[in-house]
Amino acid sequence: MAPNPTRSRTTKAPEDRRKDLLDAGLRVFCDKGIKEATISDITRAADVAKGTFYLYFDSKDHLLAALKERFIQSMMSEAFSLLSAVGQDDWWELTDRTIEAMVDFPLRHPEELKAFYFQIPSSPETQGILSESDTRVWEMATESIQAGIDAGVFSASDPALAAMFIHEAIDGAVRHRIMYGIDIDRDRLVAAAKEMARKILAPERLPLQSATVPRSTG
Amino acid sequence: MAPNPTRSRTTKAPEDRRKDLLDAGLRVFCDKGIKEATISDITRAADVAKGTFYLYFDSKDHLLAALKERFIQSMMSEAFSLLSAVGQDDWWELTDRTIEAMVDFPLRHPEELKAFYFQIPSSPETQGILSESDTRVWEMATESIQAGIDAGVFSASDPALAAMFIHEAIDGAVRHRIMYGIDIDRDRLVAAAKEMARKILAPERLPLQSATVPRSTG
Amino acid sequence: MAPNPTRSRTTKAPEDRRKDLLDAGLRVFCDKGIKEATISDITRAADVAKGTFYLYFDSKDHLLAALKERFIQSMMSEAFSLLSAVGQDDWWELTDRTIEAMVDFPLRHPEELKAFYFQIPSSPETQGILSESDTRVWEMATESIQAGIDAGVFSASDPALAAMFIHEAIDGAVRHRIMYGIDIDRDRLVAAAKEMARKILAPERLPLQSATVPRSTG
Amino acid sequence: MAPNPTRSRTTKAPEDRRKDLLDAGLRVFCDKGIKEATISDITRAADVAKGTFYLYFDSKDHLLAALKERFIQSMMSEAFSLLSAVGQDDWWELTDRTIEAMVDFPLRHPEELKAFYFQIPSSPETQGILSESDTRVWEMATESIQAGIDAGVFSASDPALAAMFIHEAIDGAVRHRIMYGIDIDRDRLVAAAKEMARKILAPERLPLQSATVPRSTG
DNA sequence: GATGAATGAGGCTTCATTCAT
DNA sequence: CATGAATGAAGCCTCATTCAT
């Protein structure tokens, strides 16, 4: 047993090196869990020396923060491009597109989800990042719904919570699919989610206050 | 070879000692995070010597598993008592009660939530515990909804996903309240959740397929 | 997981308890090795509570010392009974009996051998016990050989070392048999040992000083 | 999270560092015994940080195994060089050289002997190393003796056991000298050993079957 | 006497971080 | 820029020993 084998010294553009490390970090965090992942694991996966890591990140926590940052960025940019791309002529059409994005985005990023939703927030500072983005997404959704209500198309006595429910419902379902390996077809998920959203946002028509349950449940 | 006792030695019934350690563990996990929590922290909080910990648990992971177990137990028992207690005469009444329980239970267990939903599932074995309970809750809810549909009171084209959405929506919202400190009044949450559930489960009357968005939202 | 199950309280004559612990200790030391053996292992094997151990021995090292003591005692007493029992009429007969004892004694105590010859002497004090007994056995053997020489029956230019060689040769061979599981028949061992001893002690008639090796052995 | 270096950092060629650790380990094992030796002791003796140890060995047991390996290597290589160097013309000459080597080799490695012969074989795997080498040495010796018999120079009814006896006798005597500090002059040991070997291997001339012991031993 | 829960010193091992090359 | 050997603080866990019952 002897210390590591020597690697041939290679130089890369800093952004590429950084990206290598981010990618390696993500992979390792997902595979072993954040706690179990070591810097060695990461540098090995990135095929660089351990010391190189510290040329690009101050610490493991900083790598984690950078990873979250990157994830949030792509999420937000996708959200914005959605909102601007969709022709905003039809409220229900917009709703459908949004639902699809809510399902498809996490399905395209299962690794990040596993890492970020199911792992320790290492430090108080990085703690809030996901929360912050969630909050921003929530606010955007709330505004959209409010606008739909103002337009007389949607109905919800508590738009903010309606937005949160829809968001969490879909996120939760997708998370289940990803984490627990529960097999739910993407299309089925989208269809059901659309129905849910439409019903929640549809003009009220509350059910009769008392639908008596038949005497025998059996 | 020659221990040097400083703490006054107290003997307790094993169940009590065990409970002390479980409680201490929960507290410390919440305060510092699972990763950061050390056995020393926990034994200090439980006011026992470090070695005592290992009389009751094989490792930190085993404590965590025991904690989850305990949480699941209380959750499930509460769920069952709810279902049997509620007079099952009125489907909407049952729905309302269930919603209230879904909101109130986690609000009564904020610590566990913080620890279990936002922390690493330390090992593959303990991994599935929450998943399993979630799944069982989900199945119960699905059955209830299916029964309501069969009774002609509810309507949902995908009862299983409807159940999951409702569950996840409420859980997610409560989690937000707890984790991010977002201030949402419990009653407001309950009211909105009831409305959401009723709309989702209400007999279909989908909105007009195309409600044109007014040209300018501003 | 909870501390030990409760045992039914039994009282025994102190010597019996002590013997139980010695026997249990020996068994455990052999099975797991002295270092790996724990007091718990021993008390479990003796079917007593941990605290009981300290009623009979001051420490693990003291148990070990007591065990060695016991072994030495039985060894020496056997040696003495041999010397007095054997009719001391015939030097070669005495030699044969001694050889047989040297082979048979350890074969009857394989456990002790495993434990004492192949394990750490835990502390400087217990260290010398085997050495001491070995030395005494050696001295006895040396005296016998010297007497045989004086009687004109044996021959050895260095009686002390001859005694040591014979003793070590046999001990070593037996140890091999026991430790490494090398299969050597007891009778074969005895026969070969007798031949060896007789040759060593036989009146000198050294071989021709130079027996040229035939050019090619093949 | 913020190491606090105090030792001046020196980098060495891995083989040198490894050798330092092996040497330090040997020294400490001998001084304190294997059980009592701690990794700290060893790294202190090698003047490296504790972590450095684990760069070169997986555990204390692995160090021990490496140490044994090294010992065996030097032993075997010495044995082979002896066999090839000695002019194989004279069987008795070869015998004498072998005896000298058997005495001198351990006397040149007292530390290893103390450590390996008197200490726990820590794990089942490392267990067999000494045994294996012993066995190989034994086989070589047996073959030599058999060849001598075939050449009509030696005589032994059980060559294998004769080889083992000679080997164990010498080893045992040397071990005594080393371990128990019994003062036996090297030359005296060699002389006596040569005599023993010659007698054992000399053509049979068994003593008269009954040399009567004089009536009174006194 | 006997019991076994409780104790805590101390050993092993990991790994984030540093720094000489 | 890159490397990887070296560092040591920090955590986990064991187990000989004690002592209240």
Side-chain angles (χ1 to χ4, degrees):
Chain A
M1 198 185 154
N4 291 358
T6 288
R7 181 194 324 288
S8 68
R9 212 187 182 82
T10 51
T11 301
K12 264 195 181 183
E15 312 80 40
D16 294 349
R17 254 305 127 82
R18 191 183 153 88
K19 183 173 182 312
D20 288 350
L21 283 165
L22 283 167
D23 291 342
L26 183 57
R27 217 174 322 137
V28 173
F29 283 149
C30 295
D31 289 352
K32 310 190 51 170
I34 291 180
K35 174 186 158 194
E36 283 75 19
T38 68
I39 300 292
S40 274
D41 292 330
I42 295 167
T43 54
R44 201 178 313 122
D47 194 35
V48 296
K50 205 146 46 151
T52 305
F53 177 89
Y54 290 89
L55 256 25
Y56 294 89
F57 301 96
D58 287 340
S59 70
K60 195 170 144 180
D61 277 355
H62 281 79
L63 170 63
L64 197 57
L67 233 22
K68 289 187 176 172
E69 191 66 44
R70 188 172 74 162
F71 178 59
I72 302 295
Q73 288 306 329
S74 81
M75 185 164 81
M76 296 306 288
S77 80
E78 191 150 327
F80 280 115
S81 74
L82 173 83
L83 287 190
S84 50
V86 167
Q88 302 209 343
D89 294 40
D90 189 319
W91 289 101
W92 296 113
E93 174 69 11
L94 177 61
T95 303
D96 283 354
R97 290 294 146 271
T98 305
I99 298 295
E100 281 163 19
M102 277 183 166
V103 170
D104 289 334
F105 183 80
L107 288 185
R108 272 204 313 280
H109 298 268
E111 304 294 76
E112 277 97 340
L113 262 195
K114 276 192 200 170
F116 300 147
Y117 274 78
F118 279 73
Q119 309 271 345
I120 282 184
S122 294
S123 63
E125 307 104 58
T126 64
Q127 163 84 284
I129 295 187
L130 268 187
S131 144
E132 207 185 307
S133 93
D134 267 3
T135 303
R136 267 185 283 155
V137 169
W138 176 33
E139 285 168 355
M140 281 172 45
T142 303
E143 281 169 30
S144 293
I145 290 176
Q146 184 59 56
I149 292 173
D150 292 345
V153 181
F154 295 162
S155 158
S157 25
D158 196 325
L161 284 185
M164 183 180 276
F165 286 145
I166 294 172
H167 179 215
E168 293 291 347
I170 296 175
D171 249 39
V174 173
R175 203 156 56 228
H176 257 250
R177 205 186 107 130
I178 292 176
M179 292 304 305
Y180 304 147
I182 290 172
D183 192 31
I184 306 170
D185 181 64
R186 181 260 175 199
D187 290 337
R188 179 184 158 203
L189 200 51
V190 168
K194 284 181 182 172
E195 181 182 315
M196 169 197 67
R198 283 174 178 250
K199 281 180 149 189
I200 289 180
L201 296 177
E204 302 242 13
R205 202 209 48 170
L206 283 185
L208 325 78
Q209 275 310 321
S210 282
T212 303
V213 175
R215 283 296 140 212
S216 137
T217 318
Chain B
M1 283 256 171
N4 174 24
T6 58
R7 181 195 315 283
S8 71
R9 199 181 273 244
T10 46
T11 300
K12 270 194 180 183
E15 314 89 69
D16 294 349
R17 212 15 78 91
R18 191 184 153 89
K19 185 174 182 311
D20 288 351
L21 284 164
L22 283 168
D23 292 342
L26 184 57
R27 219 174 319 138
V28 173
F29 283 150
C30 296
D31 290 352
K32 308 191 54 171
I34 291 180
K35 175 188 161 192
E36 283 75 18
T38 69
I39 301 293
S40 279
D41 291 331
I42 295 168
T43 54
R44 202 178 312 120
D47 194 34
V48 296
K50 204 140 43 135
T52 303
F53 177 89
Y54 291 93
L55 250 28
Y56 294 88
F57 302 97
D58 285 337
S59 70
K60 202 165 117 176
D61 276 356
H62 282 78
L63 170 63
L64 197 57
L67 236 19
K68 288 187 177 174
E69 191 66 43
R70 188 171 75 161
F71 178 59
I72 302 297
Q73 289 305 329
S74 81
M75 186 165 81
M76 295 305 288
S77 78
E78 191 151 328
F80 279 114
S81 73
L82 172 85
L83 285 191
S84 50
V86 166
Q88 301 210 343
D89 293 40
D90 187 322
W91 290 100
W92 297 112
E93 174 69 11
L94 177 59
T95 304
D96 283 356
R97 291 291 147 273
T98 305
I99 299 297
E100 282 164 18
M102 279 183 165
V103 171
D104 290 334
F105 183 80
L107 288 185
R108 271 205 312 281
H109 298 268
E111 305 293 78
E112 276 97 340
L113 263 196
K114 276 192 202 171
F116 300 146
Y117 275 79
F118 277 74
Q119 310 270 346
I120 280 185
S122 293
S123 64
E125 307 105 60
T126 63
Q127 164 84 279
I129 296 188
L130 268 187
S131 146
E132 206 185 308
S133 93
D134 268 3
T135 302
R136 266 185 284 157
V137 169
W138 176 34
E139 286 169 354
M140 281 172 44
T142 302
E143 282 169 32
S144 292
I145 291 177
Q146 185 59 58
I149 292 174
D150 293 344
V153 181
F154 295 162
S155 159
S157 27
D158 197 326
L161 285 185
M164 183 180 275
F165 286 145
I166 294 172
H167 180 216
E168 292 290 346
I170 296 175
D171 249 38
V174 173
R175 204 154 57 227
H176 258 250
R177 205 184 106 130
I178 292 175
M179 293 301 305
Y180 304 146
I182 291 172
D183 191 33
I184 307 171
D185 181 63
R186 181 261 175 197
D187 290 337
R188 179 184 157 203
L189 200 50
V190 168
K194 284 181 182 172
E195 181 182 315
M196 169 198 67
R198 284 175 177 248
K199 281 179 148 190
I200 289 181
L201 296 175
E204 304 240 13
R205 202 208 49 174
L206 285 185
L208 326 76
Q209 275 310 321
S210 282
T212 303
V213 176
R215 283 295 142 213
S216 134
T217 317
Chain C
M1 197 183 155
N4 290 0
T6 288
R7 182 193 324 288
S8 68
R9 211 186 182 84
T10 51
T11 300
K12 263 195 181 182
E15 311 81 37
D16 294 349
R17 254 304 127 82
R18 190 182 152 88
K19 183 173 183 314
D20 288 351
L21 284 164
L22 283 167
D23 291 342
L26 182 58
R27 215 174 323 137
V28 174
F29 283 149
C30 295
D31 289 353
K32 310 191 51 172
I34 291 179
K35 174 187 159 193
E36 283 74 20
T38 69
I39 300 293
S40 275
D41 291 331
I42 295 167
T43 54
R44 202 179 311 121
D47 194 35
V48 296
K50 205 145 47 149
T52 304
F53 177 89
Y54 289 91
L55 256 26
Y56 293 89
F57 301 96
D58 287 340
S59 71
K60 192 171 147 180
D61 277 355
H62 281 79
L63 169 64
L64 196 58
L67 234 21
K68 288 187 177 173
E69 191 66 45
R70 188 171 75 162
F71 178 60
I72 302 297
Q73 287 306 330
S74 81
M75 185 165 80
M76 295 306 289
S77 79
E78 190 150 328
F80 280 115
S81 74
L82 173 85
L83 286 190
S84 49
V86 165
Q88 302 209 342
D89 294 39
D90 188 322
W91 289 100
W92 296 113
E93 174 69 14
L94 176 62
T95 305
D96 283 354
R97 291 292 147 272
T98 305
I99 298 297
E100 281 163 19
M102 278 183 166
V103 170
D104 290 333
F105 183 80
L107 287 185
R108 273 205 311 281
H109 298 268
E111 304 295 77
E112 276 96 341
L113 262 195
K114 276 192 202 172
F116 300 146
Y117 275 78
F118 279 73
Q119 308 271 346
I120 281 184
S122 294
S123 64
E125 307 105 58
T126 64
Q127 164 84 282
I129 295 188
L130 266 188
S131 145
E132 208 184 307
S133 93
D134 267 3
T135 302
R136 268 185 284 158
V137 168
W138 176 36
E139 286 168 354
M140 282 173 45
T142 303
E143 281 169 30
S144 293
I145 291 176
Q146 185 59 56
I149 292 173
D150 293 344
V153 181
F154 295 162
S155 160
S157 25
D158 197 325
L161 284 184
M164 183 180 275
F165 286 146
I166 293 173
H167 179 216
E168 292 291 346
I170 296 175
D171 249 39
V174 174
R175 203 155 56 229
H176 257 249
R177 206 186 106 129
I178 292 176
M179 292 304 304
Y180 305 146
I182 290 174
D183 191 33
I184 307 171
D185 180 65
R186 180 262 175 197
D187 290 337
R188 178 185 158 202
L189 199 51
V190 168
K194 284 181 183 173
E195 182 183 315
M196 169 198 67
R198 282 172 180 251
K199 282 178 149 191
I200 289 181
L201 296 176
E204 303 238 14
R205 201 207 52 175
L206 283 185
L208 324 76
Q209 274 309 321
S210 283
T212 304
V213 176
R215 283 297 140 210
S216 135
T217 316
Chain D
M1 283 255 171
N4 175 25
T6 58
R7 183 195 313 285
S8 71
R9 199 180 272 243
T10 47
T11 299
K12 271 193 179 183
E15 314 89 69
D16 295 348
R17 213 14 80 91
R18 189 184 153 88
K19 184 174 183 311
D20 288 351
L21 284 164
L22 283 167
D23 293 341
L26 183 58
R27 219 174 320 137
V28 173
F29 283 151
C30 296
D31 290 352
K32 308 191 54 170
I34 291 180
K35 174 189 162 191
E36 283 74 19
T38 69
I39 301 292
S40 280
D41 291 331
I42 295 167
T43 53
R44 202 178 310 119
D47 194 35
V48 296
K50 204 141 44 136
T52 303
F53 177 88
Y54 291 93
L55 251 28
Y56 293 88
F57 303 96
D58 285 338
S59 69
K60 201 165 120 178
D61 276 355
H62 281 79
L63 170 63
L64 197 57
L67 235 19
K68 289 187 176 174
E69 191 66 44
R70 188 171 74 161
F71 178 59
I72 301 297
Q73 288 306 329
S74 81
M75 186 164 82
M76 295 306 286
S77 80
E78 191 151 327
F80 280 114
S81 74
L82 172 84
L83 286 191
S84 49
V86 167
Q88 302 208 343
D89 292 40
D90 188 322
W91 289 100
W92 297 112
E93 174 70 13
L94 177 60
T95 304
D96 283 354
R97 291 292 147 271
T98 304
I99 299 296
E100 282 163 18
M102 278 182 166
V103 170
D104 290 334
F105 183 81
L107 287 185
R108 272 205 311 283
H109 298 269
E111 305 294 78
E112 276 96 341
L113 264 195
K114 276 193 203 170
F116 299 147
Y117 276 78
F118 277 73
Q119 309 273 345
I120 279 185
S122 294
S123 64
E125 307 106 59
T126 64
Q127 165 84 281
I129 295 187
L130 268 187
S131 145
E132 206 185 309
S133 95
D134 268 4
T135 301
R136 267 185 286 156
V137 169
W138 176 34
E139 286 168 354
M140 281 172 45
T142 302
E143 282 169 31
S144 293
I145 290 176
Q146 185 60 57
I149 293 173
D150 293 344
V153 181
F154 294 162
S155 160
S157 25
D158 197 326
L161 285 184
M164 184 180 274
F165 287 144
I166 294 173
H167 179 216
E168 292 290 347
I170 296 175
D171 249 40
V174 173
R175 203 156 57 230
H176 258 250
R177 204 186 108 131
I178 292 176
M179 291 304 303
Y180 304 146
I182 291 173
D183 191 32
I184 307 171
D185 181 64
R186 181 262 176 198
D187 290 337
R188 179 185 157 201
L189 201 50
V190 168
K194 283 181 183 173
E195 182 182 314
M196 170 199 64
R198 282 173 179 252
K199 282 181 149 189
I200 289 181
L201 297 176
E204 302 244 12
R205 204 210 47 171
L206 283 186
L208 325 75
Q209 274 312 320
S210 283
T212 305
V213 176
R215 284 294 140 214
S216 132
T217 318

